[in-house]
Amino acid sequence: MSAGACGHVLFFTSAAAFRAEKLCCSAGIAGARLVPVPRDLSSDCGVALRFSLEPGKARASVAAVEALLTEASVPFERTVAE
Amino acid sequence: MKLGGDRIVYLDNAATSWPKPAAVGEAMAEFLRDSGGNPGRSGHRLSIAAGRIVSCARDAVASALGMSDPLRIAFASNATAALNTALYGFLGPGDRVVADGMAHNAVARPLTELGRRGVQVDWARTDRAGRLDLDHLESLARSLPSSGATKGRPPARMIIVTHGSNVSGALVPLSEAAGIAHRLGAVLLVDAAQTAGLEDIGLGTLGCAAVVAFTGHKAMLGPPGTGGLAFGPGVEVDSFAPFVRGGTGSSSGSEDQPAFMPDRFEAGTVNGPGLAGLLAGLRWMEERGRSAVRRAELQAIGRLVDGIRAIPGATVHGPGSREPRCAVMSFTLAGWSVSDLALELDERYGVLCRVGLHCAPRAHRSLGTFPEGTARLAPGPFTTTDDVDYTLGAIGELAVERKYGP
Ligand SMILES: Cc1ncc(COP(=O)(O)O)c(C=O)c1O
């Protein structure tokens, strides 16, 4: 997998996205930052959380983010790995 | 101690806190200068920067209210807007609600209108010192005939309490009010305008379905235009209809208001600079330590209550200095109308207070001070012991002078 592969979390509300960004950053999730929702992923909320996918372990990277958000009861629409 | 001169002693913190920590104004200016985008609307850096600040403010409020899920907080322009959202969103014709006798007009006026629309409103007794009679509240809420409730009425769906009275300073024990709500399966609505930010609310652990209305510009030390409604873990958000509907930056393809929090109750652009200021106020409080600030304010109010009680001709209307209370007290002075008293305190001594009915006529009826009202003193985090003693000296001088007989 090329360097820079990333996943996205889409949210219903930006309030959840901002909370997710803070949680992921303090949990040390690599590359976690808010970005405008990529055009090819439709979402109603203006921002998505981008994070890095560890080469060869994309699924684990996604699962880690999902677990973190679920644990903190931050609702999200879905996750997308490139 | 020399009285008078250019000194200003601000004892009107129950109306709005002043001064604010310097960081509050700085954070507001910084928000407008450096992160002026519309939070939650666009995906560019200024919108994201603004959204982060709003999100941090939400976290800080959750922590101040003792709840774990910040997304269950919807910001509003003040406690009044939050209370209207809760009342109009939850109550409908045929519903019963019981409120306490210290209620502010932010509760009493919406309830009066809802009463015209078929909501049955009952008022629980408070005594002459403003203490809520919790037994009466419970029997009213249960519609027991002994309470004076009309026979055949259903139990109350909602119980409303004024956590800290803005007139007497009486505090309602929230755990007991929550116990009543829990036993009845009613929702507890707490008007925490005077207390949120300073007193322990413990919304996450009240053990009943509870909703708290807070304002940002009093004990939280933020600017006016901030406040909101916080939904505790036991309450169904879906049972509250939105009061204001409009754009949220989410579900934009739909012309229905989103059902999820906080967008359900946050239509329209939020007050970004205000929330930046609120965040700075809450951080200041956190750094000082909420309980240390509260202790100091309680010490100041206790000294005022005891000191004024000892002045011949003065009457304190509210609980004693060692009873459960917040940093607000009311008094009257023989020989003085409250308005002359306030004018003299301001012009001659620079002591700033509020007199009259304080938007809470029902509270004054309970205290026996309607319609003249009272003079109200409310110290804040910047009030010193010297300010208190200076004020007591001023009131003592005026007590001797008396403007009119007997
Ligand atoms: C007990 C109480 N409830 C509600 C309010 C209304 O607060 P706000 O003016 O911020 O809406 C106030 C203060 O004015 C108050 O003291």
Side-chain angles (χ1 to χ4, degrees):
Chain A
M1 201 180 283
S2 64
C6 56
H8 289 93
V9 189
L10 304 182
F11 299 91
F12 298 106
T13 167
S14 66
F18 286 106
R19 189 155 158 66
E21 181 191 40
K22 196 169 166 188
L23 287 167
C24 288
C25 288
S26 40
I29 300 286
R33 59 176 287 224
L34 292 179
V35 294
V37 178
R39 287 182 72 114
D40 52 329
L41 309 174
S42 76
S43 164
D44 282 319
C45 153
V47 285
L49 181 75
R50 175 177 290 175
F51 56 95
S52 305
L53 297 174
E54 204 184 325
K57 295 187 186 162
R59 221 178 249 203
S61 303
V62 173
V65 170
E66 286 183 348
L68 188 64
L69 299 184
T70 306
E71 162 79 24
S73 335
V74 176
F76 56 94
E77 195 182 316
R78 64 197 158 106
T79 48
V80 185
E82 249 186 357
Chain B
M1 187 189 309
K2 190 186 168 306
L3 301 177
D6 295 333
R7 182 169 184 170
I8 280 191
V9 175
Y10 184 82
L11 292 178
D12 199 15
N13 288 278
T16 195
S17 50
W18 186 88
K20 309 289 185 191
V24 172
E26 286 159 14
M28 295 175 75
E30 207 175 292
F31 181 97
L32 290 171
R33 195 183 53 233
D34 301 336
S35 44
N38 192 330
R41 295 300 190 271
S42 320
H44 58 71
R45 69 184 77 181
L46 290 186
S47 175
I48 289 178
R52 283 192 185 118
I53 290 169
V54 170
S55 180
C56 287
R58 214 183 290 281
D59 291 353
V61 170
S63 148
L65 299 180
M67 63 191 290
S68 60
D69 187 357
L71 295 179
R72 288 173 75 86
I73 294 172
F75 284 122
S77 51
N78 46 39
T80 302
L83 287 163
N84 273 269
T85 298
L87 295 169
Y88 282 94
F90 188 76
L91 296 168
D95 283 343
R96 268 196 73 228
V97 55
V98 176
D100 73 303
M102 286 291 111
H104 187 275
N105 271 341
V107 168
R109 286 180 174 171
L111 285 185
T112 299
E113 176 58 25
L114 283 164
R116 283 188 202 109
R117 300 185 190 181
V119 174
Q120 302 172 9
V121 184
D122 284 308
W123 297 93
R125 278 194 295 262
T126 44
D127 69 12
R128 283 263 162 157
R131 304 179 203 94
L132 174 60
D133 182 343
L134 286 156
D135 292 332
H136 186 235
L137 175 79
E138 178 155 13
S139 53
L140 262 183
R142 288 185 186 280
S143 289
L144 299 182
S146 59
S147 66
T150 313
K151 220 176 139 199
R153 284 186 164 192
R157 262 188 94 209
M158 180 179 259
I159 292 172
I160 307 167
V161 294
T162 313
H163 186 207
S165 164
N166 66 314
V167 179
S168 66
L171 267 191
V172 167
L174 284 187
S175 54
E176 290 181 43
I180 296 172
H182 176 71
R183 288 194 286 281
L184 264 89
V187 167
L188 178 69
L189 171 60
V190 180
D191 175 357
Q194 286 297 333
T195 53
L198 195 62
E199 299 291 335
D200 288 330
I201 297 202
L203 179 54
T205 50
L206 279 178
C208 72
V211 187
V212 167
F214 63 94
T215 202
H217 66 99
K218 301 186 198 264
M220 289 184 166
L221 304 179
T226 56
L229 197 58
F231 292 81
V235 71
E236 300 262 3
V237 171
D238 293 353
S239 54
F240 291 77
F243 186 56
V244 175
R245 294 176 174 82
T248 53
S250 54
S251 305
S252 294
S254 164
E255 290 185 344
D256 265 326
Q257 190 68 16
F260 45 80
M261 288 293 289
D263 302 27
R264 182 179 183 82
F265 302 108
E266 270 184 15
T269 300
V270 296
N271 179 1
L275 294 174
L278 177 60
L279 172 60
L282 287 167
R283 281 188 173 152
W284 184 92
M285 194 67 119
E286 207 60 52
E287 279 157 22
R288 294 293 164 108
R290 205 188 316 285
S291 50
V293 175
R294 182 175 57 226
R295 261 199 311 280
E297 286 191 24
L298 284 181
Q299 204 172 356
I301 201 73
R303 204 173 170 88
L304 281 167
V305 168
D306 291 340
I308 291 175
R309 278 221 163 119
I311 294 173
T315 310
V316 171
H317 305 278
S321 58
R322 270 160 286 282
E323 289 182 71
R325 61 172 311 130
C326 60
V328 177
M329 65 88 63
S330 264
F331 74 101
T332 45
L333 190 60
W336 289 89
S337 71
V338 290
S339 49
D340 283 338
L341 181 62
L343 188 62
E344 214 67 17
L345 280 172
D346 181 353
E347 293 201 331
R348 204 175 337 156
Y349 301 99
V351 172
L352 312 187
C353 66
R354 180 174 173 194
V355 298
L357 295 176
H358 315 99
C359 302
R362 186 168 290 275
H364 283 281
R365 285 205 172 86
S366 305
L367 297 169
T369 49
F370 188 86
E372 296 77 18
T374 55
R376 179 182 73 182
L377 303 178
F382 298 100
T383 307
T384 62
T385 306
D386 192 57
D387 290 337
V388 169
D389 291 344
Y390 172 87
T391 302
L392 291 172
I395 298 168
E397 284 190 0
L398 294 174
V400 173
E401 278 178 28
R402 283 177 175 248
K403 202 167 163 72
Y404 58 83

